[in-house]
């Protein structure tokens, strides 16, 4: 499921300058990626745990079989409490989702959502889009991801067997449901499968903020959503273990956590 929040989002932010703030942030992100390669080189790292890490393609360029047309500046913001005042939108959206699922207030808070990762994606102009993608078909591993996709399209969602483009709307945030919400909601919500196309005419820069559980947080279907006619579909696990499986094989990770019927 993908929710595209546009006018609504401005109301949530409810801040006269928010459009300017979004534009300024985007300009800075683009400026960074337009710097000469030698200026950016000091931030390049293969260490997955490094803060403010610049890398390319998907997880690890050196070992992955297929390379994607993307550079990433990734900045973890842990713990979320120290950063949430800068970008409270994601937690407000989680509160609304919590209410919509009929879970007690705050159920998706604390340990379940106290990690945040900012990922600024840059997809350079691609001379031959038939040869590669910006990002392959995937579902995000976390709870929700809030994406500022800027003014260039390229994000697609897989819906009813078809790829549907997510239209870039000015100052809109796209909200992707991740695997953890699928598990916690016991399948009531579905992780959004999505991918990013390349563009032969122009570069594209996006900013994604991932809301994650803390590594040792134990994830399981919420008790309130499980009963004899809705038995739990997934087993309990630590997020850090799930994430390990996800980075080695994002396609099979959910099946590994399913309970057998
Ligand atoms: C991601 C992602 C979408 C985009 O970073 O996981 O799906 O449009 N990004 O950059
Ligand atoms: Ni994604």
């Amino acid at each position: 499921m993908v929710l595209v929040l546009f006018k609504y989002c401005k109301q949530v932010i409810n801040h006269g300058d928010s459009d300017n703030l979004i534009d300024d942030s985007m300009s800075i992100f683009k400026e960074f990626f337009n710097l000469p390669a030698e200026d950016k080189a000091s931030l390049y790292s293969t260490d997955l745990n490094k803060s403010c890490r610049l890398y390319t393609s998907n997880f690890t360029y050196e070992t992955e079989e297929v390379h994607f047309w993307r550079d990433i500046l990734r900045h973890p913001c842990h713990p979320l409490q120290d950063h949430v005042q800068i970008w409270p939108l994601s937690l407000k959206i989680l509160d609304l989702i919590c209410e919509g699922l009929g879970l007690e207030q705050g159920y998706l808070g604390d340990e379940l959502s106290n990690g945040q990762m900012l990922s600024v994606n840059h997809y350079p102009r691609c001379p031959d889009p038939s040869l590669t993608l910006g990002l392959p078909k995937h579902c995000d591993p976390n709870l929700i991801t809030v994406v500022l996709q800027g003014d260039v399209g390229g994000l697609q969602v897989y819906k009813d067997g078809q790829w549907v483009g997510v239209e870039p709307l000015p100052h809109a945030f796209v909200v992707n449901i991740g695997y953890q919400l699928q598990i916690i909601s016991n399948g009531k919500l579905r992780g959004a499968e999505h991918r990013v196309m390349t563009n032969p005419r122009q570069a594209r820069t996006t900013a994604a903020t991932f809301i994650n559980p803390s590594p040792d947080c134990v994830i399981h279907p919420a008790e309130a959503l499980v009963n004899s006619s809705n038995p739990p579909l997934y087993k309990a696990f630590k997020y850090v273990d799930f994430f390990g499986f996800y980075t080695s094989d994002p396609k099979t990770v959910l099946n590994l956590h399913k309970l057998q019927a």
Side-chain angles (χ1 to χ4, degrees):
M1 181 182 98
V2 172
L3 264 161
V4 181
L5 304 175
F6 49 114
K7 286 182 181 141
Y8 174 70
C9 236
K10 277 195 227 162
Q11 287 163 27
V12 172
I13 294 168
N14 198 17
H15 187 297
D17 283 332
S18 60
D19 286 358
N20 289 340
L21 187 61
I22 289 171
D23 292 341
D24 289 352
S25 310
M26 265 301 182
S27 302
I28 290 172
F29 298 149
K30 288 180 187 170
E31 211 176 296
F32 171 79
F33 282 105
N34 283 332
L35 287 171
E38 52 277 20
D39 290 0
K40 290 180 282 189
S42 67
L43 293 176
Y44 181 79
S45 172
T46 53
D47 177 358
L48 295 182
N49 296 316
K50 186 178 176 289
S51 265
C52 205
R53 169 184 177 225
L54 179 68
Y55 62 107
T56 193
S57 188
N58 213 3
F59 291 118
T60 40
Y61 189 85
E62 289 69 20
T63 53
E64 68 196 12
E65 273 176 39
V66 180
H67 299 315
F68 296 95
W69 201 257
R70 172 175 82 139
D71 293 334
I72 313 103
L73 184 67
R74 184 161 276 203
H75 191 57
C77 313
H78 301 287
L80 189 54
Q81 293 86 294
D82 294 350
H83 302 272
V84 69
Q85 58 284 8
I86 308 171
W87 202 347
L89 178 65
S90 313
L91 292 194
K92 286 195 181 151
I93 294 169
L94 270 186
D95 279 347
L96 294 174
I97 291 176
C98 192
E99 197 183 324
L101 284 171
L103 293 170
E104 70 192 71
Q105 209 190 343
Y107 186 91
L108 299 174
D110 296 333
E111 288 291 288
L112 274 179
S113 55
N114 71 359
Q116 185 191 26
M117 174 84 81
L118 175 66
S119 192
V120 185
N121 299 305
H122 180 71
Y123 308 92
R125 194 183 71 76
C126 180
D128 187 350
S130 71
L131 295 178
T132 187
L133 289 167
L135 261 175
K137 180 179 178 184
H138 70 284
C139 183
D140 295 345
N142 51 317
L143 258 74
I144 55 166
T145 311
V146 177
V147 186
L148 186 57
Q149 70 155 337
D151 44 13
V152 182
L155 177 60
Q156 296 183 332
V157 181
Y158 197 63
K159 190 175 178 298
D160 305 327
Q162 283 193 328
W163 285 107
V164 182
V166 180
E167 192 194 339
L169 298 163
H171 308 114
F173 290 96
V174 179
V175 181
N176 280 337
I177 301 289
Y179 276 144
Q180 302 315 307
L181 263 191
Q182 176 163 343
I183 293 163
I184 294 164
S185 71
N186 204 35
K188 271 195 171 184
L189 297 176
R190 292 287 303 277
E193 290 181 303
H194 53 285
R195 70 178 182 183
V196 176
M197 305 303 284
T198 47
N199 187 316
R201 285 173 303 278
Q202 50 188 334
R204 174 169 183 266
T205 304
T206 67
T209 185
F210 295 79
I211 302 295
N212 312 309
S214 59
D216 286 330
C217 183
V218 177
I219 315 287
H220 55 80
E223 277 94 4
L225 302 178
V226 169
N227 53 41
S228 51
S229 44
N230 287 301
L233 300 176
Y234 307 97
K235 41 188 161 186
F237 55 87
K238 275 193 189 175
Y239 184 62
V240 63
D241 297 332
F242 183 97
F243 196 74
F245 285 119
Y246 180 85
T247 44
S248 56
D249 191 354
K251 290 201 192 82
T252 57
V253 64
L254 198 64
N255 283 340
L256 287 178
H257 292 81
K258 274 188 185 150
L259 284 167
Q260 302 305 318

